[in-house]
């Protein structure tokens, strides 16, 4: 850029007060659209699950997508207000190529230029203010699909994991009433804890792999919302049906049945730290277990929890849990919180000298 005459658009969130106000604004939009999405998905899939169920399933994607999309929206509207952008060139896009498979796929895409180019282009097309030209000679580079984590484990570790999963399926349900997923405990510490609770020792939970389903345009056309609110909310009602990951729409029923099949049927207590985001098999299973008699305990897994002015992850985890284990902090206004020692500190036993 040094050799080209240019100007960098000022960043809209360099002002921390605006950032906080926008967080409050987006949180309100999230809660409204989560309710709308839950109603529509229940109707499409012929289910009657609660808001909590859909919050666990689709909530992490919806909240992160709203924040990402609003950031891009503010950039484009700010550029429009300057009146300094005379024209934009956009490639020929097939929207179906930019629909993520699941949350992990989306989380990878938001860091890639190709996906962001698509979002910015979509906004330019749907907002008046920047003229554009569709250029057929501009290569449309597609974002990469995420490989399943099992493909990167290596042959030996993958065989061991497959054997453990097979063993766990053979264990009677009586010994699987408490299930740990992404506990932040070492395999050995987790096994000791499970045995002390009278549960079957197992250091890992089942993996459920999603087939990359074809886009069903007719199905997505059923995901319609009333256009209410301001300009941004109007755009949200248009883009959610063409951006919601396939796993919550086209692949929903197949993946749901797989999760029910691979995970325990009568678990009473589920404990996790961070399996509530990219572990779709766990999310599908846990959300359904909680609709009946299961209880969810979530443990803190990161910094700034309990001390930051706001935290989307902290808020989400507390809302979906029955009890929430913190790393020592408390809040008298939140009865779910239980201060406990941080699990990652177990590995430091004998290494910290007072």
């Amino acid at each position: 850029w040094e050799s080209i005459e240019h100007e960098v658009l000022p960043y809209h969130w360099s002002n921390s007060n605006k950032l906080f106000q926008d967080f409050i604004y987006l949180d309100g939009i999230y809660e409204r659209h989560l309710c709308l999405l839950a109603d529509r998905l229940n109707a499409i899939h012929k289910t009657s699950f609660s808001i909590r169920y859909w919050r666990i399933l689709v909530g992490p994607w919806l909240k992160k997508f709203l924040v990402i999309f609003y950031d891009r929206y503010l950039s484009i509207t700010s550029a429009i207000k300057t009146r300094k952008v005379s024209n934009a060139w956009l490639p020929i896009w097939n929207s179906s190529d930019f629909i993520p498979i699941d949350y992990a796929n989306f989380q990878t895409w938001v860091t890639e230029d190709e996906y962001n180019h698509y979002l910015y282009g979509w906004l330019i097309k749907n907002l008046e203010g920047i003229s554009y030209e569709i250029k057929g000679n501009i290569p449309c580079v597609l974002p990469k699909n995420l490989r399943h984590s099992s493909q990167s484990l290596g042959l030996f570790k993958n065989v061991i994991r497959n054997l453990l999963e097979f063993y766990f399926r053979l264990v009677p349900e009586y010994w699987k009433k408490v299930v740990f997923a992404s506990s932040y405990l070492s395999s050995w510490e987790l096994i000791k804890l499970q045995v002390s609770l009278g549960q079957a020792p197992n250091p890992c939970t089942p993996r459920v792999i999603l087939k990359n389903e074809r886009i069903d345009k007719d199905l997505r056309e059923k995901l319609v919302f009333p256009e209410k609110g301001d300009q941004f909310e109007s755009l949200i009602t248009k883009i959610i049906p063409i951006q919601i990951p396939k796993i919550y729409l086209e692949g929903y029923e197949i993946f749901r049945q797989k999760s029910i099949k691979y995970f325990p049927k009568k678990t009473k207590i589920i404990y996790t730290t961070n399996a509530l985001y990219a572990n779709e098999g766990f999310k599908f299973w846990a959300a359904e277990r909680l609709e009946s008699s299961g209880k969810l305990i979530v443990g803190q897994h990161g910094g700034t929890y309990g001390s930051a002015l706001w935290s989307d992850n902290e808020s989400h985890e507390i809302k979906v849990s029955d009890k929430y284990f913190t790393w020592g902090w408390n809040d008298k206004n939140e009865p779910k919180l239980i201060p406990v020692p941080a699990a990652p500190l177990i590995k430091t036993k004998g290494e910290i000298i007072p």
Side-chain angles (χ1 to χ4, degrees):
W1 287 97
E2 287 84 355
S3 60
I4 303 174
E5 185 178 347
H6 70 280
E7 182 179 344
V8 177
L9 188 73
Y11 186 47
H12 43 266
W13 281 338
S14 57
N15 183 318
S16 58
N17 289 327
K18 174 173 172 48
L19 179 60
F20 181 55
Q21 292 305 314
D22 285 349
F23 159 75
I24 296 173
Y25 166 73
L26 289 171
D27 196 52
I29 292 177
Y30 166 70
E31 292 296 338
R32 288 195 294 276
H33 281 268
L34 180 64
C35 292
L36 292 171
L37 198 53
D39 286 342
R40 293 307 307 139
L41 289 172
N42 270 327
I44 290 170
H45 298 308
K46 296 180 174 57
T47 55
S48 56
F49 292 127
S50 66
I51 286 290
R52 185 192 190 188
Y53 174 94
W54 293 109
R55 188 186 296 276
I56 291 172
L57 223 61
V58 77
W61 168 79
L62 179 61
K63 188 57 179 288
K64 187 159 188 174
F65 179 77
L66 287 174
V67 175
I68 295 295
F69 191 63
Y70 191 57
D71 172 75
R72 279 54 168 174
Y73 166 81
L74 290 179
S75 292
I76 296 299
T77 53
S78 297
I80 291 171
K81 289 175 183 177
T82 66
R83 298 184 178 180
K84 294 181 179 181
V85 181
S86 58
N87 191 37
W89 290 351
L90 303 177
I92 298 174
W93 279 308
N94 181 354
S95 295
S96 298
D97 293 329
F98 293 87
I99 299 175
I101 299 172
D102 55 13
Y103 177 83
N105 193 190
F106 164 73
Q107 194 173 30
T108 301
W109 279 7
V110 296
T111 64
E112 295 184 2
D113 293 338
E114 296 79 15
Y115 181 70
N116 284 285
H117 192 189
Y118 169 76
L119 292 182
Y120 281 119
W122 191 94
L123 284 164
I124 289 171
K125 287 181 180 180
N126 286 271
L127 288 170
E128 296 181 359
I130 296 179
S131 61
Y132 63 90
E133 297 175 59
I134 302 296
K135 294 284 189 178
N137 61 343
I138 298 178
C140 178
V141 182
L142 302 180
K144 306 175 188 67
N145 280 334
L146 187 71
R147 292 191 310 160
H148 192 271
S149 59
S150 65
Q151 295 174 328
S152 59
L153 284 176
L155 179 60
F156 178 73
K157 289 184 178 180
N158 212 27
V159 169
I160 295 297
R161 172 122 198 180
N162 287 337
L163 289 173
L164 286 172
E165 289 179 14
F166 178 72
Y167 141 77
F168 195 56
R169 286 198 291 270
L170 296 178
V171 172
E173 289 289 331
Y174 178 79
W175 288 330
K176 294 187 285 190
K177 290 184 178 179
V178 181
V179 170
F180 294 85
S182 300
S183 64
Y184 263 35
L185 295 170
S186 69
S187 296
W188 176 238
E189 294 292 344
L190 177 57
I191 289 172
K192 287 197 296 183
L193 176 59
Q194 289 168 325
V195 171
S196 72
L197 293 171
Q199 300 299 291
N202 183 51
C204 62
T205 51
R207 294 166 297 175
V208 188
I209 300 175
L210 173 68
K211 178 184 174 184
N212 191 359
E213 301 288 339
R214 288 189 175 186
I215 301 300
D216 187 333
K217 292 183 178 180
D218 292 335
L219 193 63
R220 288 181 177 264
E221 286 176 359
K222 295 179 182 179
L223 200 62
V224 292
F225 307 101
E227 288 193 29
K228 295 181 179 179
D230 55 20
Q231 184 185 61
F232 178 69
E233 281 202 75
S234 178
L235 292 170
I236 283 295
T237 62
K238 293 178 183 178
I239 199 167
I240 285 179
I242 60 176
Q243 272 293 290
I244 185 171
K246 300 173 192 176
I247 194 170
Y248 310 127
L249 211 55
E250 289 90 352
Y252 173 82
E253 189 56 35
I254 293 175
F255 197 79
R256 177 190 171 199
Q257 293 304 324
K258 280 187 176 181
S259 299
I260 294 171
K261 177 182 177 181
Y262 293 148
F263 276 86
K265 309 295 187 293
K266 299 179 181 179
T267 297
K268 298 295 183 182
I269 298 174
I270 302 167
Y271 178 84
T272 187
T273 56
N274 61 359
L276 288 166
Y277 297 97
N279 190 335
E280 299 287 2
F282 172 84
K283 285 160 57 181
F284 270 73
W285 167 73
E288 191 136 347
R289 285 300 307 144
L290 298 178
E291 291 290 287
S292 52
S293 59
K295 299 294 183 183
L296 177 64
I297 300 174
V298 180
Q300 179 178 341
H301 61 91
T304 77
Y305 282 48
S307 59
L309 183 59
W310 78 90
S311 168
D312 281 332
N313 286 359
E314 177 188 321
S315 175
H316 172 71
E317 291 160 22
I318 291 174
K319 282 181 179 178
V320 301
S321 67
D322 292 288
K323 294 294 180 182
Y324 191 83
F325 289 176
T326 73
W327 288 353
W329 54 275
N330 209 341
D331 183 344
K332 62 181 180 182
N333 297 317
E334 182 46 78
K336 292 182 181 180
L337 303 186
I338 301 176
V340 300
L345 290 179
I346 292 176
K347 67 183 69 173
T348 64
K349 182 179 179 181
E351 296 180 10
I352 298 178
I353 301 174

